[in-house]
PDB file of all heavy atoms in Angstrom:
ATOM      1  N   SER A  15      39.548  17.164-116.492  1.00 94.00           N
ATOM      2  CA  SER A  15      40.158  16.132-117.114  1.00 94.00           C
ATOM      3  C   SER A  15      40.947  16.645-118.274  1.00 94.00           C
ATOM      4  O   SER A  15      40.853  17.825-118.623  1.00 94.00           O
ATOM      5  CB  SER A  15      39.157  15.076-117.591  1.00 94.00           C
ATOM      6  OG  SER A  15      38.389  15.670-118.563  1.00 94.00           O
ATOM      7  N   GLY A  16      41.801  15.841-118.902  1.00 82.00           N
ATOM      8  CA  GLY A  16      42.537  16.262-119.952  1.00 82.00           C
ATOM      9  C   GLY A  16      43.998  16.591-119.635  1.00 82.00           C
ATOM     10  O   GLY A  16      44.352  16.867-118.475  1.00 82.00           O
ATOM     11  N   ARG A  17      44.883  16.631-120.565  1.00 78.00           N
ATOM     12  CA  ARG A  17      46.318  16.786-120.252  1.00 78.00           C
ATOM     13  C   ARG A  17      46.747  18.163-120.464  1.00 78.00           C
ATOM     14  O   ARG A  17      47.911  18.449-120.026  1.00 78.00           O
ATOM     15  CB  ARG A  17      47.168  15.874-121.276  1.00 78.00           C
ATOM     16  CG  ARG A  17      46.911  14.376-121.095  1.00 78.00           C
ATOM     17  CD  ARG A  17      47.692  13.518-122.109  1.00 78.00           C
ATOM     18  NE  ARG A  17      47.156  13.759-123.488  1.00 78.00           N
ATOM     19  CZ  ARG A  17      47.618  13.297-124.596  1.00 78.00           C
ATOM     20  NH1 ARG A  17      48.783  12.477-124.508  1.00 78.00           N
ATOM     21  NH2 ARG A  17      47.078  13.355-125.703  1.00 78.00           N
ATOM     22  N   THR A  18      45.930  19.076-120.884  1.00 90.00           N
ATOM     23  CA  THR A  18      46.451  20.398-121.262  1.00 90.00           C
ATOM     24  C   THR A  18      45.736  21.453-120.267  1.00 90.00           C
ATOM     25  O   THR A  18      45.509  22.562-120.701  1.00 90.00           O
ATOM     26  CB  THR A  18      46.297  20.719-122.686  1.00 90.00           C
ATOM     27  OG1 THR A  18      44.870  20.624-123.045  1.00 90.00           O
ATOM     28  CG2 THR A  18      47.117  19.871-123.521  1.00 90.00           C
ATOM     29  N   PHE A  19      45.463  21.193-119.119  1.00 94.00           N
ATOM     30  CA  PHE A  19      44.767  22.056-118.202  1.00 94.00           C
ATOM     31  C   PHE A  19      45.385  23.454-118.006  1.00 94.00           C
ATOM     32  O   PHE A  19      44.758  24.443-118.008  1.00 94.00           O
ATOM     33  CB  PHE A  19      44.625  21.421-116.745  1.00 94.00           C
ATOM     34  CG  PHE A  19      43.906  22.276-115.804  1.00 94.00           C
ATOM     35  CD1 PHE A  19      42.470  22.547-115.834  1.00 94.00           C
ATOM     36  CD2 PHE A  19      44.568  22.912-114.840  1.00 94.00           C
ATOM     37  CE1 PHE A  19      41.937  23.362-114.969  1.00 94.00           C
ATOM     38  CE2 PHE A  19      44.095  23.797-113.844  1.00 94.00           C
ATOM     39  CZ  PHE A  19      42.650  23.970-113.866  1.00 94.00           C
ATOM     40  N   SER A  20      46.793  23.388-118.087  1.00 93.00           N
ATOM     41  CA  SER A  20      47.464  24.647-117.843  1.00 93.00           C
ATOM     42  C   SER A  20      47.382  25.597-119.031  1.00 93.00           C
ATOM     43  O   SER A  20      47.802  26.739-119.035  1.00 93.00           O
ATOM     44  CB  SER A  20      48.985  24.351-117.587  1.00 93.00           C
ATOM     45  OG  SER A  20      49.490  23.521-118.613  1.00 93.00           O
ATOM     46  N   SER A  21      46.814  25.212-120.185  1.00 94.00           N
ATOM     47  CA  SER A  21      46.637  26.051-121.357  1.00 94.00           C
ATOM     48  C   SER A  21      45.203  26.627-121.405  1.00 94.00           C
ATOM     49  O   SER A  21      44.843  27.287-122.364  1.00 94.00           O
ATOM     50  CB  SER A  21      46.881  25.195-122.645  1.00 94.00           C
ATOM     51  OG  SER A  21      45.882  24.258-122.822  1.00 94.00           O
ATOM     52  N   TYR A  22      44.444  26.379-120.346  1.00 96.00           N
ATOM     53  CA  TYR A  22      43.081  26.950-120.344  1.00 96.00           C
ATOM     54  C   TYR A  22      42.951  28.115-119.320  1.00 96.00           C
ATOM     55  O   TYR A  22      43.320  27.962-118.112  1.00 96.00           O
ATOM     56  CB  TYR A  22      42.053  25.907-120.053  1.00 96.00           C
ATOM     57  CG  TYR A  22      41.869  24.889-121.071  1.00 96.00           C
ATOM     58  CD1 TYR A  22      42.765  23.766-121.302  1.00 96.00           C
ATOM     59  CD2 TYR A  22      40.784  25.029-121.942  1.00 96.00           C
ATOM     60  CE1 TYR A  22      42.568  22.917-122.294  1.00 96.00           C
ATOM     61  CE2 TYR A  22      40.596  24.156-122.981  1.00 96.00           C
ATOM     62  CZ  TYR A  22      41.503  23.019-123.188  1.00 96.00           C
ATOM     63  OH  TYR A  22      41.262  22.174-124.161  1.00 96.00           O
ATOM     64  N   THR A  23      42.333  29.131-119.751  1.00 97.00           N
ATOM     65  CA  THR A  23      41.793  30.140-118.792  1.00 97.00           C
ATOM     66  C   THR A  23      40.545  29.528-118.137  1.00 97.00           C
ATOM     67  O   THR A  23      39.743  28.999-118.833  1.00 97.00           O
ATOM     68  CB  THR A  23      41.408  31.515-119.534  1.00 97.00           C
ATOM     69  OG1 THR A  23      42.618  32.103-119.933  1.00 97.00           O
ATOM     70  CG2 THR A  23      40.608  32.394-118.729  1.00 97.00           C
ATOM     71  N   MET A  24      40.394  29.781-116.830  1.00 98.00           N
ATOM     72  CA  MET A  24      39.216  29.243-116.194  1.00 98.00           C
ATOM     73  C   MET A  24      38.373  30.349-115.540  1.00 98.00           C
ATOM     74  O   MET A  24      38.875  31.381-115.158  1.00 98.00           O
ATOM     75  CB  MET A  24      39.750  28.269-114.971  1.00 98.00           C
ATOM     76  CG  MET A  24      40.649  27.225-115.489  1.00 98.00           C
ATOM     77  SD  MET A  24      39.865  26.061-116.550  1.00 98.00           S
ATOM     78  CE  MET A  24      38.614  25.391-115.494  1.00 98.00           C
ATOM     79  N   GLY A  25      37.163  30.053-115.440  1.00 98.00           N
ATOM     80  CA  GLY A  25      36.187  30.993-114.892  1.00 98.00           C
ATOM     81  C   GLY A  25      35.102  30.322-114.010  1.00 98.00           C
ATOM     82  O   GLY A  25      34.836  29.107-114.134  1.00 98.00           O
ATOM     83  N   TRP A  26      34.479  31.165-113.176  1.00 98.00           N
ATOM     84  CA  TRP A  26      33.370  30.709-112.455  1.00 98.00           C
ATOM     85  C   TRP A  26      32.212  31.639-112.768  1.00 98.00           C
ATOM     86  O   TRP A  26      32.404  32.872-112.860  1.00 98.00           O
ATOM     87  CB  TRP A  26      33.556  30.733-110.907  1.00 98.00           C
ATOM     88  CG  TRP A  26      34.396  29.745-110.367  1.00 98.00           C
ATOM     89  CD1 TRP A  26      35.788  29.755-110.143  1.00 98.00           C
ATOM     90  CD2 TRP A  26      34.015  28.472-110.008  1.00 98.00           C
ATOM     91  NE1 TRP A  26      36.259  28.528-109.654  1.00 98.00           N
ATOM     92  CE2 TRP A  26      35.132  27.713-109.546  1.00 98.00           C
ATOM     93  CE3 TRP A  26      32.703  27.764-109.941  1.00 98.00           C
ATOM     94  CZ2 TRP A  26      35.059  26.417-109.020  1.00 98.00           C
ATOM     95  CZ3 TRP A  26      32.708  26.422-109.503  1.00 98.00           C
ATOM     96  CH2 TRP A  26      33.854  25.711-108.992  1.00 98.00           C
ATOM     97  N   PHE A  27      31.047  31.101-112.887  1.00 98.00           N
ATOM     98  CA  PHE A  27      29.852  31.870-113.214  1.00 98.00           C
ATOM     99  C   PHE A  27      28.743  31.409-112.265  1.00 98.00           C
ATOM    100  O   PHE A  27      28.882  30.285-111.669  1.00 98.00           O
ATOM    101  CB  PHE A  27      29.363  31.563-114.685  1.00 98.00           C
ATOM    102  CG  PHE A  27      30.267  32.295-115.716  1.00 98.00           C
ATOM    103  CD1 PHE A  27      31.492  31.721-116.089  1.00 98.00           C
ATOM    104  CD2 PHE A  27      29.888  33.381-116.260  1.00 98.00           C
ATOM    105  CE1 PHE A  27      32.347  32.256-116.963  1.00 98.00           C
ATOM    106  CE2 PHE A  27      30.741  34.039-117.166  1.00 98.00           C
ATOM    107  CZ  PHE A  27      31.967  33.433-117.560  1.00 98.00           C
ATOM    108  N   ARG A  28      27.694  32.105-112.143  1.00 98.00           N
ATOM    109  CA  ARG A  28      26.561  31.606-111.366  1.00 98.00           C
ATOM    110  C   ARG A  28      25.192  32.044-111.942  1.00 98.00           C
ATOM    111  O   ARG A  28      25.215  32.968-112.762  1.00 98.00           O
ATOM    112  CB  ARG A  28      26.711  32.163-109.936  1.00 98.00           C
ATOM    113  CG  ARG A  28      26.436  33.769-109.926  1.00 98.00           C
ATOM    114  CD  ARG A  28      26.763  34.138-108.356  1.00 98.00           C
ATOM    115  NE  ARG A  28      26.583  35.598-108.171  1.00 98.00           N
ATOM    116  CZ  ARG A  28      26.990  36.311-107.063  1.00 98.00           C
ATOM    117  NH1 ARG A  28      27.456  35.632-106.111  1.00 98.00           N
ATOM    118  NH2 ARG A  28      26.713  37.510-107.073  1.00 98.00           N
ATOM    119  N   GLN A  29      24.222  31.284-111.602  1.00 98.00           N
ATOM    120  CA  GLN A  29      22.893  31.573-112.112  1.00 98.00           C
ATOM    121  C   GLN A  29      21.809  31.281-111.035  1.00 98.00           C
ATOM    122  O   GLN A  29      21.734  30.187-110.415  1.00 98.00           O
ATOM    123  CB  GLN A  29      22.552  30.689-113.379  1.00 98.00           C
ATOM    124  CG  GLN A  29      21.272  31.064-114.073  1.00 98.00           C
ATOM    125  CD  GLN A  29      21.146  30.474-115.315  1.00 98.00           C
ATOM    126  OE1 GLN A  29      21.740  29.498-115.733  1.00 98.00           O
ATOM    127  NE2 GLN A  29      20.223  31.075-116.221  1.00 98.00           N
ATOM    128  N   ALA A  30      21.076  32.472-110.726  1.00 96.00           N
ATOM    129  CA  ALA A  30      20.028  32.233-109.708  1.00 96.00           C
ATOM    130  C   ALA A  30      18.739  31.959-110.447  1.00 96.00           C
ATOM    131  O   ALA A  30      18.544  32.314-111.618  1.00 96.00           O
ATOM    132  CB  ALA A  30      20.027  33.503-108.899  1.00 96.00           C
ATOM    133  N   PRO A  31      17.748  31.421-109.800  1.00 92.00           N
ATOM    134  CA  PRO A  31      16.478  31.234-110.461  1.00 92.00           C
ATOM    135  C   PRO A  31      15.892  32.354-110.934  1.00 92.00           C
ATOM    136  O   PRO A  31      15.789  33.488-110.338  1.00 92.00           O
ATOM    137  CB  PRO A  31      15.698  30.650-109.257  1.00 92.00           C
ATOM    138  CG  PRO A  31      16.586  29.978-108.307  1.00 92.00           C
ATOM    139  CD  PRO A  31      17.898  30.920-108.412  1.00 92.00           C
ATOM    140  N   GLY A  32      15.527  32.327-112.239  1.00 94.00           N
ATOM    141  CA  GLY A  32      14.856  33.409-112.959  1.00 94.00           C
ATOM    142  C   GLY A  32      15.768  34.539-113.469  1.00 94.00           C
ATOM    143  O   GLY A  32      15.322  35.539-113.950  1.00 94.00           O
ATOM    144  N   LYS A  33      17.012  34.260-113.227  1.00 96.00           N
ATOM    145  CA  LYS A  33      18.010  35.320-113.639  1.00 96.00           C
ATOM    146  C   LYS A  33      18.968  34.667-114.678  1.00 96.00           C
ATOM    147  O   LYS A  33      19.215  33.487-114.788  1.00 96.00           O
ATOM    148  CB  LYS A  33      18.776  35.787-112.454  1.00 96.00           C
ATOM    149  CG  LYS A  33      17.904  36.552-111.504  1.00 96.00           C
ATOM    150  CD  LYS A  33      18.826  37.183-110.318  1.00 96.00           C
ATOM    151  CE  LYS A  33      17.988  38.033-109.389  1.00 96.00           C
ATOM    152  NZ  LYS A  33      18.858  38.748-108.453  1.00 96.00           N
ATOM    153  N   GLU A  34      19.682  35.534-115.469  1.00 97.00           N
ATOM    154  CA  GLU A  34      20.650  35.180-116.361  1.00 97.00           C
ATOM    155  C   GLU A  34      21.940  34.725-115.686  1.00 97.00           C
ATOM    156  O   GLU A  34      22.227  35.226-114.623  1.00 97.00           O
ATOM    157  CB  GLU A  34      20.989  36.318-117.392  1.00 97.00           C
ATOM    158  CG  GLU A  34      19.786  36.588-118.273  1.00 97.00           C
ATOM    159  CD  GLU A  34      20.155  37.632-119.263  1.00 97.00           C
ATOM    160  OE1 GLU A  34      21.256  38.171-119.285  1.00 97.00           O
ATOM    161  OE2 GLU A  34      19.336  37.919-120.177  1.00 97.00           O
ATOM    162  N   ARG A  35      22.699  33.813-116.414  1.00 97.00           N
ATOM    163  CA  ARG A  35      24.020  33.503-115.802  1.00 97.00           C
ATOM    164  C   ARG A  35      24.918  34.708-115.761  1.00 97.00           C
ATOM    165  O   ARG A  35      25.002  35.483-116.717  1.00 97.00           O
ATOM    166  CB  ARG A  35      24.588  32.401-116.744  1.00 97.00           C
ATOM    167  CG  ARG A  35      25.860  31.851-116.172  1.00 97.00           C
ATOM    168  CD  ARG A  35      26.296  30.648-117.071  1.00 97.00           C
ATOM    169  NE  ARG A  35      25.266  29.520-116.962  1.00 97.00           N
ATOM    170  CZ  ARG A  35      25.482  28.378-117.463  1.00 97.00           C
ATOM    171  NH1 ARG A  35      26.617  28.065-118.119  1.00 97.00           N
ATOM    172  NH2 ARG A  35      24.467  27.512-117.404  1.00 97.00           N
ATOM    173  N   GLU A  36      25.644  34.902-114.601  1.00 98.00           N
ATOM    174  CA  GLU A  36      26.501  36.021-114.534  1.00 98.00           C
ATOM    175  C   GLU A  36      27.934  35.578-114.126  1.00 98.00           C
ATOM    176  O   GLU A  36      28.110  34.523-113.498  1.00 98.00           O
ATOM    177  CB  GLU A  36      25.931  37.000-113.485  1.00 98.00           C
ATOM    178  CG  GLU A  36      26.010  36.489-112.046  1.00 98.00           C
ATOM    179  CD  GLU A  36      25.511  37.497-111.068  1.00 98.00           C
ATOM    180  OE1 GLU A  36      25.359  38.733-111.404  1.00 98.00           O
ATOM    181  OE2 GLU A  36      25.469  37.161-109.861  1.00 98.00           O
ATOM    182  N   PHE A  37      28.833  36.425-114.562  1.00 98.00           N
ATOM    183  CA  PHE A  37      30.256  36.197-114.266  1.00 98.00           C
ATOM    184  C   PHE A  37      30.631  36.447-112.842  1.00 98.00           C
ATOM    185  O   PHE A  37      29.948  37.344-112.200  1.00 98.00           O
ATOM    186  CB  PHE A  37      31.088  37.176-115.111  1.00 98.00           C
ATOM    187  CG  PHE A  37      32.482  37.249-114.834  1.00 98.00           C
ATOM    188  CD1 PHE A  37      33.346  36.255-115.287  1.00 98.00           C
ATOM    189  CD2 PHE A  37      33.014  38.256-114.056  1.00 98.00           C
ATOM    190  CE1 PHE A  37      34.744  36.329-114.854  1.00 98.00           C
ATOM    191  CE2 PHE A  37      34.399  38.382-113.692  1.00 98.00           C
ATOM    192  CZ  PHE A  37      35.191  37.356-114.166  1.00 98.00           C
ATOM    193  N   VAL A  38      31.397  35.609-112.293  1.00 98.00           N
ATOM    194  CA  VAL A  38      31.883  35.633-110.842  1.00 98.00           C
ATOM    195  C   VAL A  38      33.407  35.971-110.913  1.00 98.00           C
ATOM    196  O   VAL A  38      33.821  37.009-110.273  1.00 98.00           O
ATOM    197  CB  VAL A  38      31.622  34.371-110.113  1.00 98.00           C
ATOM    198  CG1 VAL A  38      32.168  34.485-108.653  1.00 98.00           C
ATOM    199  CG2 VAL A  38      30.134  34.125-110.135  1.00 98.00           C
ATOM    200  N   ALA A  39      34.166  35.117-111.458  1.00 98.00           N
ATOM    201  CA  ALA A  39      35.646  35.339-111.374  1.00 98.00           C
ATOM    202  C   ALA A  39      36.325  34.494-112.582  1.00 98.00           C
ATOM    203  O   ALA A  39      35.714  33.636-112.980  1.00 98.00           O
ATOM    204  CB  ALA A  39      36.155  34.859-110.111  1.00 98.00           C
ATOM    205  N   ALA A  40      37.618  34.964-112.891  1.00 98.00           N
ATOM    206  CA  ALA A  40      38.189  34.237-113.827  1.00 98.00           C
ATOM    207  C   ALA A  40      39.795  34.267-113.469  1.00 98.00           C
ATOM    208  O   ALA A  40      40.265  35.100-112.744  1.00 98.00           O
ATOM    209  CB  ALA A  40      38.045  34.862-115.315  1.00 98.00           C
ATOM    210  N   ILE A  41      40.522  33.391-114.037  1.00 98.00           N
ATOM    211  CA  ILE A  41      41.962  33.308-113.706  1.00 98.00           C
ATOM    212  C   ILE A  41      42.720  32.780-114.987  1.00 98.00           C
ATOM    213  O   ILE A  41      42.320  31.972-115.763  1.00 98.00           O
ATOM    214  CB  ILE A  41      42.172  32.262-112.521  1.00 98.00           C
ATOM    215  CG1 ILE A  41      43.618  32.419-111.935  1.00 98.00           C
ATOM    216  CG2 ILE A  41      41.826  30.952-112.946  1.00 98.00           C
ATOM    217  CD1 ILE A  41      43.772  31.658-110.680  1.00 98.00           C
ATOM    218  N   ASN A  42      43.909  33.469-115.131  1.00 97.00           N
ATOM    219  CA  ASN A  42      44.689  33.088-116.345  1.00 97.00           C
ATOM    220  C   ASN A  42      45.407  31.751-116.220  1.00 97.00           C
ATOM    221  O   ASN A  42      45.332  31.083-115.192  1.00 97.00           O
ATOM    222  CB  ASN A  42      45.515  34.229-116.710  1.00 97.00           C
ATOM    223  CG  ASN A  42      46.854  34.215-115.875  1.00 97.00           C
ATOM    224  OD1 ASN A  42      46.790  33.946-114.694  1.00 97.00           O
ATOM    225  ND2 ASN A  42      48.029  34.513-116.563  1.00 97.00           N
ATOM    226  N   LEU A  43      46.246  31.495-117.274  1.00 95.00           N
ATOM    227  CA  LEU A  43      46.905  30.151-117.373  1.00 95.00           C
ATOM    228  C   LEU A  43      47.757  29.782-116.033  1.00 95.00           C
ATOM    229  O   LEU A  43      47.598  28.747-115.565  1.00 95.00           O
ATOM    230  CB  LEU A  43      47.849  30.167-118.454  1.00 95.00           C
ATOM    231  CG  LEU A  43      47.265  30.490-119.824  1.00 95.00           C
ATOM    232  CD1 LEU A  43      48.379  30.470-120.950  1.00 95.00           C
ATOM    233  CD2 LEU A  43      46.133  29.637-120.203  1.00 95.00           C
ATOM    234  N   SER A  44      48.544  30.747-115.530  1.00 93.00           N
ATOM    235  CA  SER A  44      49.370  30.450-114.429  1.00 93.00           C
ATOM    236  C   SER A  44      48.749  30.786-113.045  1.00 93.00           C
ATOM    237  O   SER A  44      49.240  30.374-112.048  1.00 93.00           O
ATOM    238  CB  SER A  44      50.636  31.274-114.581  1.00 93.00           C
ATOM    239  OG  SER A  44      50.391  32.684-114.340  1.00 93.00           O
ATOM    240  N   GLY A  45      47.716  31.465-113.065  1.00 94.00           N
ATOM    241  CA  GLY A  45      47.151  32.056-111.838  1.00 94.00           C
ATOM    242  C   GLY A  45      47.561  33.297-111.380  1.00 94.00           C
ATOM    243  O   GLY A  45      47.118  33.763-110.349  1.00 94.00           O
ATOM    244  N   GLY A  46      48.360  33.880-112.073  1.00 95.00           N
ATOM    245  CA  GLY A  46      48.864  35.113-111.732  1.00 95.00           C
ATOM    246  C   GLY A  46      48.044  36.419-112.042  1.00 95.00           C
ATOM    247  O   GLY A  46      48.258  37.494-111.578  1.00 95.00           O
ATOM    248  N   ILE A  47      47.046  36.226-112.941  1.00 97.00           N
ATOM    249  CA  ILE A  47      46.102  37.273-113.264  1.00 97.00           C
ATOM    250  C   ILE A  47      44.658  36.807-112.857  1.00 97.00           C
ATOM    251  O   ILE A  47      44.279  35.602-113.397  1.00 97.00           O
ATOM    252  CB  ILE A  47      46.153  37.533-114.769  1.00 97.00           C
ATOM    253  CG1 ILE A  47      47.573  38.018-115.111  1.00 97.00           C
ATOM    254  CG2 ILE A  47      45.079  38.627-115.122  1.00 97.00           C
ATOM    255  CD1 ILE A  47      47.870  38.284-116.553  1.00 97.00           C
ATOM    256  N   THR A  48      43.947  37.583-112.211  1.00 98.00           N
ATOM    257  CA  THR A  48      42.555  37.247-111.745  1.00 98.00           C
ATOM    258  C   THR A  48      41.684  38.428-112.186  1.00 98.00           C
ATOM    259  O   THR A  48      42.082  39.542-112.193  1.00 98.00           O
ATOM    260  CB  THR A  48      42.467  36.954-110.274  1.00 98.00           C
ATOM    261  OG1 THR A  48      42.960  37.983-109.522  1.00 98.00           O
ATOM    262  CG2 THR A  48      43.215  35.607-109.980  1.00 98.00           C
ATOM    263  N   LEU A  49      40.343  38.015-112.251  1.00 98.00           N
ATOM    264  CA  LEU A  49      39.316  39.077-112.641  1.00 98.00           C
ATOM    265  C   LEU A  49      38.120  38.649-111.734  1.00 98.00           C
ATOM    266  O   LEU A  49      37.795  37.477-111.637  1.00 98.00           O
ATOM    267  CB  LEU A  49      39.053  38.909-114.070  1.00 98.00           C
ATOM    268  CG  LEU A  49      38.182  39.971-114.754  1.00 98.00           C
ATOM    269  CD1 LEU A  49      38.893  41.327-114.778  1.00 98.00           C
ATOM    270  CD2 LEU A  49      37.944  39.462-116.207  1.00 98.00           C
ATOM    271  N   TYR A  50      37.441  39.716-111.244  1.00 98.00           N
ATOM    272  CA  TYR A  50      36.271  39.457-110.332  1.00 98.00           C
ATOM    273  C   TYR A  50      35.103  40.445-110.720  1.00 98.00           C
ATOM    274  O   TYR A  50      35.324  41.596-111.223  1.00 98.00           O
ATOM    275  CB  TYR A  50      36.618  39.736-108.952  1.00 98.00           C
ATOM    276  CG  TYR A  50      37.688  38.836-108.391  1.00 98.00           C
ATOM    277  CD1 TYR A  50      39.067  39.122-108.267  1.00 98.00           C
ATOM    278  CD2 TYR A  50      37.207  37.525-107.760  1.00 98.00           C
ATOM    279  CE1 TYR A  50      39.921  38.270-107.758  1.00 98.00           C
ATOM    280  CE2 TYR A  50      38.084  36.673-107.279  1.00 98.00           C
ATOM    281  CZ  TYR A  50      39.484  36.975-107.238  1.00 98.00           C
ATOM    282  OH  TYR A  50      40.430  36.158-106.749  1.00 98.00           O
ATOM    283  N   ALA A  51      33.992  39.854-110.487  1.00 98.00           N
ATOM    284  CA  ALA A  51      32.825  40.653-110.544  1.00 98.00           C
ATOM    285  C   ALA A  51      32.911  41.662-109.478  1.00 98.00           C
ATOM    286  O   ALA A  51      33.211  41.362-108.297  1.00 98.00           O
ATOM    287  CB  ALA A  51      31.482  39.940-110.530  1.00 98.00           C
ATOM    288  N   ASP A  52      32.285  42.911-109.595  1.00 98.00           N
ATOM    289  CA  ASP A  52      32.327  43.833-108.482  1.00 98.00           C
ATOM    290  C   ASP A  52      31.545  43.363-107.270  1.00 98.00           C
ATOM    291  O   ASP A  52      31.897  43.723-106.117  1.00 98.00           O
ATOM    292  CB  ASP A  52      31.701  45.190-109.003  1.00 98.00           C
ATOM    293  CG  ASP A  52      32.544  45.917-109.939  1.00 98.00           C
ATOM    294  OD1 ASP A  52      33.796  45.576-110.053  1.00 98.00           O
ATOM    295  OD2 ASP A  52      32.054  46.765-110.658  1.00 98.00           O
TER     296      ASP A  52
END
């Protein structure tokens, strides 16, 4: 929601039972730059 979505970097994380939350993937403002967990 909100009017300024395009000004936010977005990420996905995951958490399995008994484990810490871990990074999965991220994407920059335009979608042209992405980052992934190995």
Side-chain angles (χ1 to χ4, degrees):
S15 65
R17 293 179 292 177
T18 58
F19 177 73
S20 59
S21 67
Y22 287 83
T23 288
M24 302 299 296
W26 285 97
F27 291 77
R28 66 187 182 187
Q29 187 168 19
K33 294 189 176 182
E34 291 187 353
R35 187 171 296 187
E36 66 172 357
F37 169 77
V38 176
I41 191 166
N42 79 321
L43 308 180
S44 69
I47 299 172
T48 56
L49 190 63
Y50 294 95
D52 288 344

